[in-house]
Amino acid sequence: MAIVRAVKAARYSAARPPRVAEGWALTRVTEPSRLFGANGLRTGPDGRVYIAQVTGSQISALDPQTGQIDTVSAKGGDIVAPDDVAFDLEGNLYATEVMDGRVSMRDTRGHIRVLRDDLPSANGITVHHGRLFIGECRAGGRLVELDRAGGPPRVLLENVPSPNAMEVGPDGLLYVPVMGANEIWRIDPDGGDPQRVAGDLGVPDAVKFDAEGYLVSTQVHSGQVLRIDPRTGQRDVLAQLNPGLDNLTFVDNRLFVSNFTGEITEILGDGQTRTVLGGGLNWPLDLAVGADGNLYIADGTYFYELIDGALHTAGMLFSPGYPGFLRGLAPAGPGEFIVTTSNGEVARYRPASSESEVLAQGFDQLYGVAIAPGGAIVVAELGAGRVLSIRAGEVEVLASGLHEPVGVAIAPDGTCLVSEAGAGRVLRVGGGPLIEGLQQPQGLLVRDRQVYVVDSGAKELVAVDLDSGARVTVASDLPVGAPPGVTPKPLRGMPPFSGPQGPFAGLAAGPDGTLYISADAEGSVLALRRETEGPQR
C-alpha cells in the first residue's frame, strides 16, 4: 500500500504517485522541497523575486503576494548552476554560472547566450546604468566589468579574497562583501584603490541598499541580517536567522533573504520575520541510521539528524569541524560517522563535538562508503572507476575499470557489492554480476540476506534474495533521479567549497527494518515498512 501522493510543486511534478509491492507501505519522513536550495535573489521588472539555485541548475520566480513559484530556467537547460542574477533596464536577465565560470544572458524572448566563459567561480553580479559587473568568489578572485556586446572584460581589482554578491550604492561606488576578509569593501567602478567599509562581521556574502541609502547585508556564518551605515560603519541587527544565509532583495520596501536550505524569509522590522517559503533538503544524498537509532542525512552543505519527525542541523559548511560537502555516509559508533566528501576526502566525523579527521584524500569523486567487518573502510570512487579499501591510511584497490561506481555495501559473507550506475548493474567485487538490467543503480543496502538497490533511472527500489536469486520490485514511480526527459548538466564544483557535485539516491535501514530512501528528485526522505513483519532471518 502506498500512502504517498503525487506532488505537483515547483521543484518536481510526479505524473502519478509511487506504487509498492504487496505487503509494503510507503510514507514521507520529510516534506518535499519547493526549490533546490536558494542562492542569489533579485527583484525582477515584474515585481517577482527571482531565485538562483546552484545545485538544481534552475532559476525560479516567486510572487511575494501569492507565493506562486514559476520556473524561468529549468534543470537541464542552458544555464548551469546559477548562483546570482541581475536585470538590465531592457528586462534581460543575467546569471553567473559559478561551476562553469560563465556569465549568460537570457533575453526577454527567452533566448540564452553565453557572454563569457573564462571567469572562474563567477558569482556576484549587478547591472548599474547599463554597466555589468561580476565577482569571482575564490581566493585571489577578481572584480570585472563585462562588455555586454562581447568585447574584452575590464578588471577593476585583482587578488580579492572571495568577493560575493555586490551592488552599486547611491554614491556611485561598488560595494562588495569580501568573505575571505570578513569585510565589506567599496571601489570606484572607474578604478582606484578599494576602501574598507565594515569588518569583523559574520562572513558577509551579499549586500543591497535600502531606500534610505543604508547597506543591508546577509551573514552566512552568523545568520544575521545587518543594516550598516556606509558613512560610519555603524551597524544594527535587523534579524537573527539560521546560518546559511545567501542573498537578499527588496520588493518596494519589503526585504526578503534567502538561505541555502531554500527558505525565503521576509524581514518585518523590530526583529520580527515571516517565512515566505519554507526550507528543506537540497538533494538529499546518502543516509545512515546512527547508533542512537536516529536517521542522519547527508545533504551536501548540511548534515541533518531526524528527531521526532523534524530535521535538526547537526553540522553545516560554515560550522566548526565540518568535513566539507558531504556525500557518502556510514555509522561508525556512537556519535561517529565515516563520510566521503566532494573534495575527494574520506573523514571520520563527530558532529556533536564539532570534530573531523581526514583519513585519506586526493580521490576523484567519492560516493558511497561502507565499513567491512574487520574495520576497513570501503568507498566507491566514481571518477576513477574504482572501489577502494582504506585501513590505517593504506589504500588498496579492490576493483578498477568500473563504469561509474556509486553505492557500496558488504554482504553477510564479507563480499563487497558495488552499484555500477553507468553499466546498469550491481557487482560482487572479485566475482560476477549480482543484479543486471538496471538503468542507473545508486544506493545499495544489504539486510536480512536481501540486497536492495535504488535504480534512479527506472525510479524503482529493487530487492534480490541472496539465497534464491529471486528479484522483486519493491517500489516504483519513486521521486528519485532526474525528471522524465531531462538530462542534467554536470556540476563541476566550487573550489574550495566543493568538488564536482552529483546525485546519489541513498538507502539505509532502521533497527525495526524500515527502509529509508533519499527521494532526491523532490527533496525528501521516504520510509518503506512492511505491513506485517515476519520472523527475521
Side-chain angles (χ1 to χ4, degrees):
M1 178 182 68
I3 52 178
V4 170
R5 294 186 296 273
V7 173
K8 294 190 179 297
R11 170 163 169 172
Y12 179 79
S13 295
R16 53 182 176 266
R19 296 173 293 167
V20 297
E22 185 177 354
W24 291 86
L26 181 67
T27 58
R28 281 193 180 90
V29 176
T30 67
E31 288 300 310
S33 302
R34 300 289 302 278
L35 301 172
F36 296 92
N39 303 109
L41 294 186
R42 183 73 63 169
T43 303
D46 55 6
R48 294 187 296 174
V49 175
Y50 285 72
I51 308 167
Q53 298 147 72
V54 172
T55 57
S57 288
Q58 183 165 289
I59 300 172
S60 303
L62 168 68
D63 187 322
Q65 303 298 331
T66 66
Q68 179 176 329
I69 301 174
D70 296 308
T71 300
V72 176
S73 179
K75 186 184 188 77
D78 291 331
I79 295 178
V80 180
D83 206 335
D84 202 3
V85 292
F87 288 90
D88 62 20
L89 293 177
E90 292 77 33
N92 300 309
L93 180 150
Y94 298 84
T96 49
E97 299 172 77
V98 64
M99 296 193 188
D100 284 62
R102 299 193 309 205
V103 175
S104 290
M105 184 189 80
R106 181 184 185 273
D107 66 24
T108 54
R109 297 169 298 172
H111 299 155
I112 296 170
R113 66 183 177 93
V114 175
L115 297 183
R116 301 291 305 187
D117 62 0
D118 56 355
L119 303 164
S121 299
N123 195 325
I125 187 169
T126 192
V127 178
H128 181 71
H129 292 170
R131 300 173 68 179
L132 176 61
F133 302 95
I134 71 101
E136 298 171 344
C137 190
R138 60 183 176 90
R142 302 178 300 170
L143 302 180
V144 178
E145 181 178 4
L146 300 187
D147 183 348
R148 293 188 295 162
R154 183 176 69 89
V155 177
L156 278 69
L157 192 63
E158 296 184 290
N159 296 317
V160 184
S162 298
N164 211 317
M166 64 193 78
E167 190 78 344
V168 175
D171 55 7
L173 300 179
L174 182 63
Y175 286 74
V176 185
V178 183
M179 296 175 64
N182 197 22
E183 297 175 344
I184 296 173
W185 297 357
R186 62 186 167 207
I187 186 172
D188 191 319
D190 294 323
D193 295 327
Q195 301 172 344
R196 179 180 180 272
V197 178
D200 192 23
L201 302 169
V203 187
D205 54 356
V207 295
K208 296 288 196 304
F209 281 85
D210 66 16
E212 297 178 358
Y214 283 78
L215 268 172
V216 180
S217 176
T218 49
Q219 312 297 300
V220 64
H221 178 72
S222 68
Q224 291 181 329
V225 182
L226 301 179
R227 187 174 190 251
I228 302 171
D229 187 331
R231 296 164 290 275
T232 66
Q234 181 179 343
R235 69 199 69 171
D236 296 302
V237 178
L238 296 181
Q240 176 65 64
L241 301 172
N242 291 324
L245 300 185
D246 196 297
N247 212 308
L248 68 153
T249 194
F250 286 92
V251 180
D252 297 324
N253 288 321
R254 299 171 64 187
L255 172 60
F256 299 87
V257 301
S258 62
N259 191 289
F260 294 160
T261 63
E263 184 172 5
I264 305 294
T265 304
E266 182 176 5
I267 311 302
L268 301 175
D270 296 326
Q272 301 299 306
T273 63
R274 180 178 73 91
T275 300
V276 178
L277 196 63
L281 295 169
N282 206 323
W283 295 88
L285 300 163
D286 207 2
L287 307 172
V289 174
D292 54 7
N294 289 338
L295 180 67
Y296 290 82
I297 304 166
D299 198 35
T301 51
Y302 283 84
F303 183 52
Y304 293 105
E305 180 181 6
L306 191 73
I307 303 175
D308 296 328
L311 291 172
H312 292 260
T313 301
M316 59 92 63
L317 190 61
F318 290 93
S319 62
Y322 197 71
F325 185 99
L326 293 188
R327 190 147 51 204
L329 184 61
E336 187 172 290
F337 300 87
I338 301 298
V339 301
T340 62
T341 76
S342 69
N343 280 327
E345 296 176 334
V346 180
R348 190 182 306 276
Y349 182 35
R350 303 178 183 90
S353 57
S354 300
E355 296 175 324
S356 63
E357 172 192 1
V358 175
L359 304 177
Q361 58 188 333
F363 301 110
D364 185 359
Q365 299 182 64
L366 294 176
Y367 275 75
V369 58
I371 302 175
I377 298 167
V378 178
V379 297
E381 187 184 16
L382 183 145
R386 303 190 299 179
V387 174
L388 309 173
S389 173
I390 301 166
R391 184 196 295 269
E394 298 295 322
V395 178
E396 178 187 357
V397 178
L398 300 181
S400 60
L402 302 177
H403 192 190
E404 298 180 10
V406 175
V408 290
I410 308 298
D413 63 359
T415 300
C416 176
L417 308 178
V418 56
S419 60
E420 200 176 0
R425 60 185 183 176
V426 174
L427 291 178
R428 300 179 181 91
V429 172
L434 175 66
I435 310 174
E436 296 186 285
L438 303 171
Q439 291 188 26
Q440 194 176 29
Q442 293 185 350
L444 195 59
L445 171 72
V446 178
R447 181 179 172 84
D448 301 329
R449 301 197 62 79
Q450 297 283 319
V451 177
Y452 297 92
V453 59
V454 180
D455 187 347
S456 65
K459 303 189 182 303
E460 295 178 344
L461 177 68
V462 174
V464 169
D465 190 292
L466 282 171
D467 296 322
S468 68
R471 175 171 169 170
V472 175
T473 299
V474 179
S476 57
D477 293 315
L478 293 171
V480 297
V486 172
T487 302
K489 305 290 176 60
L491 299 177
R492 306 182 191 281
M494 296 183 292
F497 303 111
S498 85
Q501 300 179 14
F504 181 17
L507 187 59
D512 62 352
T514 299
L515 303 181
Y516 297 100
I517 304 170
S518 285
D520 61 331
E522 68 175 21
S524 75
V525 176
L526 306 178
L528 265 167
R529 297 179 175 90
R530 291 188 182 274
E531 293 183 305
T532 55
E533 285 286 339
Q536 299 292 309
R537 287 187 288 168

